[in-house]
Amino acid sequence: MARLDGYAALITGGGKGIGRAVVDRFVAEGARVCVLVRSQTDVDSLAEQHGDKVVCVIGDVRNWADNVAAVQAVVAAFGKLDVLVPNAGVYDFSDTFESIDGAEMSERYRQLFDVNVLGYLLAARAAVDALRESNGSIVFTLSSSSFYAGGGGTLYVSSKHALAGTVKQLAYELAPEIRVNAVAPGGTRTGLGGLAGDNRALADIEGFEDMVARNVPLGFLSEPEDHAGLYVTLASREDSRFVTSEIIRSDGGIEVRGRRRKKKVEQ
Ligand SMILES: NC(=O)c1ccc[n+]([C@@H]2O[C@H](COP(=O)([O-])OP(=O)(O)OC[C@H]3O[C@@H](n4cnc5c(N)ncnc54)[C@H](O)[C@@H]3O)[C@@H](O)[C@H]2O)c1
């Protein structure tokens, strides 16, 4: 039997990247999924691959009404909500603190925190009643930047650290009906984008793959699919019934800082 047979899920930013890998895996595990996306292109691509196993809502995670609409859509289509995956995010491309003009700080802060932090809070708030009814769970996408410096600039790293606190506080407040956990990926090959007007994409950064590979013991840049099974494990009541406030790191072992240099054996 598939591990999420009969589950209904809502995933934000699931048109591409890590969110898309979670959608694809959830469907493969028997779930029905509502995806909050930004564009018709994402809707078309999800519909082509998954047909009526997936419904989409076009919206913006910064907008309360769009989050409410997404929860209503999953309940209307599939009768309930078992799992929420707040995942939509933007990056700051490691812009250093001092490179940001003080006069621009508020605007940049608002743009980044509104998506990365407020977007998660609004999704969780909109979903609470439906999740309580189903004894469901939330699985946030965090990041190695929820624990360490250097994987982004100050704005990105502080936003992802804020989410680690959000997981703990919500796990505390929403228990025992709703479990709250997270997956924290490290460097992953995606098109993660930046703030308004910034057309860069993470995987296009020169040297990104080598830099990630050099910095983790497992020695490679991960693919979105590498993380998806962990979301399944945390979403599954059967596998994670006693698990809340847990953040599973899927980051190649970055904690141990760098790749071991093997000594050449002298003949
Ligand atoms: N790629 C990495 O190396 C990496 C590592 C750790 C964590 N993450 C996190 O993973 C999550 C997914 O990112 P990804 O790497 O898959 O990149 P991605 O760009 O493929 O996915 C991000 C998604 O968020 C959506 N999005 C952005 N702003 C939005 C908004 N205002 N409203 C609705 N949707 C919006 C985008 O359309 C996109 O589908 C992000 O939270 C990111 O911070 C990424």
Side-chain angles (χ1 to χ4, degrees):
M1 203 175 90
R3 294 167 77 197
L4 299 181
D5 254 345
Y7 281 60
L10 169 59
I11 302 177
T12 71
K16 38 183 112 56
I18 294 168
R20 177 58 175 268
V22 177
V23 174
D24 296 349
R25 184 65 183 270
F26 273 27
V27 171
E29 295 288 352
R32 296 293 178 266
V33 185
C34 175
V35 194
L36 177 59
V37 294
R38 294 220 78 183
S39 70
Q40 187 61 41
T41 318
D42 286 343
V43 176
D44 295 344
S45 142
L46 284 158
E48 190 183 340
Q49 188 176 350
H50 296 299
D52 60 7
K53 293 175 181 161
V54 164
V55 295
C56 293
V57 171
I58 295 181
D60 188 322
V61 293
R62 295 170 289 187
N63 185 335
W64 167 243
D66 291 350
N67 285 282
V68 171
V71 171
Q72 284 170 347
V74 67
V75 173
F78 309 124
K80 60 179 179 154
L81 174 63
D82 298 290
V83 192
L84 169 71
V85 179
N87 164 81
V90 289
Y91 192 52
D92 66 359
F93 292 94
S94 296
D95 288 341
T96 61
F97 188 60
E98 287 173 290
S99 73
I100 304 172
D101 192 294
E104 289 174 15
M105 189 69 81
S106 302
E107 177 57 23
R108 292 235 218 162
Y109 165 86
R110 248 191 313 274
Q111 282 196 33
L112 192 129
F113 270 70
D114 277 2
V115 178
N116 288 10
V117 181
L118 180 63
Y120 280 33
L121 295 178
L122 292 178
R125 185 65 189 88
V128 156
D129 289 346
L131 289 172
R132 184 163 281 128
E133 206 162 303
S134 70
N135 264 151
S137 79
I138 303 175
V139 186
F140 289 99
T141 297
L142 263 55
S143 170
S144 46
S145 290
S146 300
F147 303 99
Y148 313 113
T154 306
L155 289 178
Y156 184 78
V157 170
S158 56
S159 76
K160 292 295 179 182
H161 271 66
L163 295 174
T166 306
V167 170
K168 290 177 203 164
Q169 183 66 21
L170 289 185
Y172 176 64
E173 287 192 25
L174 302 182
E177 297 92 351
I178 304 170
R179 296 180 299 107
V180 183
N181 296 295
V183 176
T188 310
R189 195 191 316 275
T190 72
L192 181 62
L195 306 183
D198 185 341
N199 293 322
R200 290 174 287 180
L202 185 65
D204 296 342
I205 299 174
E206 212 184 315
F208 176 63
E209 177 160 8
D210 285 347
M211 191 265 292
V212 172
R214 257 198 327 274
N215 278 310
V216 298
L218 293 185
F220 63 89
L221 174 67
S222 67
E223 304 294 336
E225 301 73 33
D226 293 326
H227 315 297
L230 301 171
Y231 290 79
V232 175
T233 295
L234 290 173
S236 161
R237 294 184 188 88
E238 196 168 41
D239 293 336
S240 297
R241 193 163 84 94
F242 204 42
V243 181
T244 196
S245 190
E246 181 59 58
I247 302 174
I248 301 182
R249 301 174 199 204
S250 181
D251 61 12
I254 199 169
E255 182 179 43
V256 295
R257 286 287 173 223
R259 212 171 165 194
R260 186 166 72 96
R261 307 264 174 267
K262 289 188 181 146
K263 276 194 194 145
K264 279 198 184 128
V265 180
E266 311 251 330
Q267 300 285 350

